[in-house]
Amino acid sequence: MTVSRQHFKSFYLAHFRAVAGFCRSLVGDEEEALDMAQEAFCRLWQKWSPEYTEANAQAFIYITAKNLCLDRLRRARFKQEELAAAEGMPVSEGTMLEEIIRQETVEAVRRAVETLTGRGLQVVRMTMEGKTNPEIAAELGVSVNTVKFAKKEAYAKLRERLENEYMVLLAWEILAHLSLA
């Protein structure tokens, strides 16, 4: 596999779910969102260059995904007010950037959680499902203190893994607010 293909594959794996989530926020349908995200990545691959930076590729993929979503909504011949509402959704530069940041944050957290192992992974997943410490303890057959300790260790690992991505996302957030001012 060439360096360019590896770079694209890495970019695809890191961003596909976030782009699909962004598409879903625009069209409201999971299957259509996955199709549009896939189409956006196909178009990126057609134009892919080894010189692309992460920022170039992200800008291209989100703009392409937004345009595909709006085209799909127009072709579906939604009732006029539904199309107007969809076009007024996260399409403005500020709202679109906020949705991109939200989707990228969700994806960064998901990737970080996937790196956990053992009891820490179990506890974090159950916490994300909305379960309380006593519920987790009962389900795992351990004490509440064991759950608290596992959660504390897992969160420390997550903070460590998310530290760099947090700084990038914070910078995006600041840029978003500056561009809206």
Side-chain angles (χ1 to χ4, degrees):
M1 190 180 301
T2 66
V3 173
S4 184
R5 286 181 70 120
Q6 287 175 324
H7 186 211
F8 180 83
K9 181 179 179 182
S10 174
F11 179 82
Y12 176 88
L13 292 172
H15 297 282
F16 182 79
R17 287 186 185 176
V19 173
F22 174 71
C23 291
R24 187 176 48 254
S25 74
L26 290 172
V27 298
D29 181 81
E30 182 73 25
E31 288 301 314
E32 283 189 63
L34 291 171
D35 288 347
M36 286 181 275
Q38 189 66 40
E39 176 63 24
F41 275 96
C42 286
R43 290 184 185 187
L44 176 61
W45 175 246
Q46 291 169 350
K47 296 186 179 295
W48 189 257
S49 166
E51 290 82 36
Y52 270 18
T53 65
E54 184 89 4
N56 294 137
Q58 276 186 308
F60 180 91
I61 202 72
Y62 280 105
I63 290 169
T64 302
K66 175 194 79 169
N67 290 337
L68 286 168
C69 290
L70 292 178
D71 288 347
R72 179 77 52 103
L73 290 173
R74 285 185 192 103
R75 278 194 310 273
R77 298 187 193 278
F78 273 49
K79 290 184 245 163
Q80 198 58 29
E81 59 273 0
E82 288 179 289
L83 181 57
E87 287 179 340
M89 284 178 54
V91 177
S92 73
E93 290 299 317
T95 327
M96 189 173 103
L97 188 56
E98 288 172 13
E99 183 62 22
I100 291 169
I101 291 168
R102 190 177 78 71
Q103 293 297 330
E104 289 290 333
T105 302
V106 167
E107 186 59 22
V109 171
R110 188 198 58 77
R111 282 192 307 264
V113 168
E114 285 178 358
T115 66
L116 297 174
T117 59
R119 179 136 310 138
L121 176 60
Q122 287 177 310
V123 168
V124 169
R125 282 186 176 161
M126 294 170 94
T127 300
M128 291 171 72
E129 292 169 4
K131 294 182 180 174
T132 64
N133 288 349
E135 291 171 334
I136 296 169
E139 194 169 321
L140 295 178
V142 298
S143 72
V144 172
N145 284 336
T146 300
V147 171
K148 288 179 182 178
F149 181 75
K151 192 182 284 189
K152 179 181 173 186
E153 284 189 333
Y155 286 170
K157 289 177 184 175
L158 288 175
R159 272 192 299 279
E160 182 181 307
R161 289 185 177 111
L162 288 169
E163 185 175 17
N164 290 336
E165 293 196 43
Y166 172 75
M167 295 307 290
V168 170
L169 293 168
L170 181 61
W172 273 54
E173 184 70 24
I174 290 169
L175 288 173
H177 287 293
L178 289 176
S179 69
L180 295 176

